[in-house]
Amino acid sequence: MMRYFSYFLIFLCYSVGAIETYNIDPEHSFSNWKIRHVVSMTSGTVSDMSGIITIDRDDINKSEINIKINLLGINSNHKKRDSHIKEKNFLDTDNFSKITFVSNEIKSNDNNTGTIKGLLNLHGISKEISMPFKVLGYGSDPWGGYRVGIQANTTIKVSDFGYTWGEKPNASLGNEVVLEFLIEGIRQ
């Protein structure tokens, strides 16, 4: 009887161990962006990111990711431009200071790369987006924790989220923004 109980415990530990929860590390995660500006590109980052990643390493298709990005932390390496970007004519951060992304489907054939689909909420509007992703790795960190690294990117049209600046002929800003998520999660 004890032998069957031991097998049950081993099975239970294996089953529970397959699902891992990671908190997004705001100090080592970034949402990078770039947009056409006049005749070139300008770029920046938002380093104030949080969220939760639930990973089934045996079948990554069963995983989930929830991301929150605080636009008040936007940084284009130009303080005057950062203040300007936050104004009502652009991001309107007084009313819409957060971006959220909640996955609703992950597809992968190799448990390492694939596509994440989910709802992106920006400027009070939610749209389903799809973005390729890559698991950059898993490993121990110098502080005794365990981490996962994930990279994902997509291009969105800001007009889909109610912004009109890129729709005007000869607009100084483009309608498309390239987003890149560089995420480090700490296992809980």
Side-chain angles (χ1 to χ4, degrees), residues 33-176:
W33 54 270
K34 65 181 176 180
I35 187 170
R36 182 185 54 77
H37 180 255
V38 186
V39 295
S40 187
M41 298 292 280
T42 193
S43 64
T45 191
V46 184
S47 59
D48 191 353
M49 181 189 301
S50 61
I52 296 175
I53 308 162
T54 305
I55 297 177
D56 183 333
R57 288 177 68 175
D58 295 329
D59 184 359
I60 207 160
N61 296 306
K62 296 177 183 174
S63 301
E64 297 177 353
I65 186 165
N66 296 312
I67 302 170
K68 293 177 187 163
I69 300 166
N70 182 356
L71 289 174
L72 296 175
I74 198 163
N75 182 354
S76 68
N77 203 30
H78 189 280
K79 288 184 188 228
K80 187 175 178 183
R81 178 173 44 222
D82 296 344
S83 295
H84 187 57
I85 291 169
K86 294 175 190 176
E87 292 175 357
K88 188 173 180 79
N89 292 343
F90 295 99
L91 294 178
D92 191 10
T93 58
D94 285 344
N95 294 304
F96 305 101
S97 62
K98 302 258 189 267
I99 298 174
T100 60
F101 175 78
V102 178
S103 68
N104 55 31
E105 180 181 57
I106 295 178
K107 286 188 176 180
S108 175
N109 292 324
D110 62 6
N111 274 354
N112 198 38
T113 59
T115 304
I116 302 172
K117 290 184 181 178
L119 286 178
L120 180 72
N121 184 288
L122 170 62
H123 197 229
I125 298 172
S126 291
K127 296 280 184 186
E128 184 161 303
I129 66 165
S130 176
M131 54 186 159
F133 77 90
K134 180 177 183 179
V135 176
L136 300 174
Y138 298 91
S140 298
D141 65 28
W143 308 280
Y146 192 81
R147 295 179 180 248
V148 63
I150 299 171
Q151 178 179 11
N153 58 66
T154 191
T155 300
I156 62 168
K157 289 187 176 183
V158 293
S159 58
D160 290 344
F161 296 90
Y163 297 113
T164 58
W165 67 70
E167 294 182 312
K168 301 171 188 166
N170 300 319
S172 61
L173 287 175
N175 190 35
E176 292 187 342

